[in-house]
Amino acid sequence: MELIIDSKENIAARAAKQYIDLLKGKPNAVLGLATGSTPLGLYAELVRLYQAGEISFKDATSFNLDEYVGLPPTHDQSYKYFMMHNLFNHVDLPEERIHVPSGLDTSAETLSGYDAAIKAAGGVDLQLLGIGNNGHIGFNEPGTPLESLTHVVELTLDTREVNSRFFQSLDEVPTHAATMGIRTVMNARSIILIALGSAKADCIKKTVQGPVTAEVPASVLQLHPNCTIYCDPEAAALL
Ligand code: F6R
């Protein structure tokens, strides 16, 4: 893995440049996307670049990492809503090529259909990841088998507490999520993980310098042939 330590603003610009380069060379690229606070700067930069005519998503396809079980796409805390609001409503990615796991239909057929759809689209060219304070990628919590495909997970109390900042109370935070598996993520041809802030320092140390273990799901990225980890100085503080 390549480690880049830079300011939050520069990380957004440098990661956005990877999207410009990818889409210039392969306009119909398949993008794996993430939600949460971390990608907001990157998404704002991609919207700015689109408005400036420097990037187009018109032939691209996207697959998001995860969705809360039980939330319809219209719920303002659903990840589909987040993506529409923060990226898709502002760029030219066609709606029919936007994919977010369903939070309402989590049948085995639908979950395996998500991996099948990624495969049918040609596989993910560039997967964007944030990282949970506990080392989760997507919603693959510690202990998730490294060979997992898209599946439903029970969120840890820790993750629900961290994410309760977006809800009225902890009780409203869904207990389960549908997520791409670790194998699904690792199948991407290239990966960008962004970590911002001191709360990520411990999991970044374990991810970059610790052993590869299911207890720190992001540590498996050490085995990926083309993974870039962008950290701000706070997230890199323990390296
Ligand atoms: C989001 C996702 C999660 C987040 C992680 C960090 O789609 O899959 O793994 O990337 O929980 O969240 P933030 O960015 O809010 O710190």
Side-chain angles (χ1 to χ4, degrees):
M1 51 173 56
E2 186 188 1
L3 177 69
I4 293 174
I5 302 170
D6 208 336
S7 68
K8 186 175 159 181
E9 294 72 27
N10 287 350
I11 288 173
R14 290 172 78 163
K17 176 79 170 50
Q18 283 191 243
Y19 285 83
I20 293 179
D21 292 347
L22 172 65
L23 289 163
K24 268 199 182 126
K26 187 175 181 185
N28 63 347
V30 177
L31 310 177
L33 298 175
T35 58
S37 307
T38 306
L40 287 173
L42 169 60
Y43 291 160
E45 179 64 4
L46 291 175
V47 170
R48 189 192 70 75
L49 289 165
Y50 168 70
Q51 287 167 349
E54 290 178 48
I55 196 167
S56 169
F57 300 86
K58 75 178 172 47
D59 296 316
T61 297
S62 73
F63 287 90
N64 259 82
L65 280 167
D66 40 23
E67 180 59 283
Y68 286 119
V69 170
L71 299 193
T74 47
H75 190 290
D76 65 2
Q77 290 309 325
S78 78
Y79 284 168
K80 177 71 188 287
Y81 186 96
F82 173 101
M83 290 306 300
M84 297 308 295
H85 189 72
N86 290 299
L87 183 65
F88 300 146
N89 283 342
H90 313 292
V91 298
D92 58 349
L93 182 64
E95 175 115 41
E96 66 273 15
R97 289 205 300 276
I98 291 172
H99 304 85
V100 179
S102 172
L104 299 181
D105 175 2
T106 53
S107 64
E109 197 183 354
T110 298
L111 293 167
S112 64
Y114 202 69
D115 286 285
I118 293 172
K119 201 169 172 192
V124 171
D125 290 293
L126 179 56
Q127 176 66 55
L128 176 64
L129 299 173
I131 182 169
N133 297 357
N134 62 5
H136 73 214
I137 48 175
F139 270 136
N140 295 286
E141 300 283 32
T144 304
L146 300 182
E147 287 307 314
S148 53
L149 297 172
T150 302
H151 63 295
V152 169
V153 291
E154 181 170 5
L155 300 173
T156 61
L157 182 58
D158 175 55
T159 295
R160 292 181 62 239
E161 279 171 354
V162 170
N163 287 5
S164 66
R165 68 191 191 278
F166 300 114
F167 293 81
Q168 305 286 357
S169 69
L170 178 61
D171 286 348
E172 285 183 22
V173 184
T175 55
H176 291 75
T179 180
M180 282 187 194
I182 296 182
R183 173 53 51 198
T184 318
V185 169
M186 288 293 281
N187 281 344
R189 281 183 272 282
S190 57
I191 296 177
I192 294 176
L193 182 146
I194 301 178
L196 305 175
S198 56
K200 306 294 170 71
D202 181 56
C203 61
I204 281 296
K205 182 177 172 59
K206 290 176 179 157
T207 295
V208 175
Q209 297 176 338
V212 174
T213 164
E215 292 314 309
V216 183
S219 65
V220 74
L221 298 172
Q222 291 177 29
L223 306 177
H224 195 279
N226 190 356
C227 176
T228 306
I229 308 235
Y230 289 100
C231 295
D232 68 2
E234 291 78 12
L238 299 179
L239 296 177

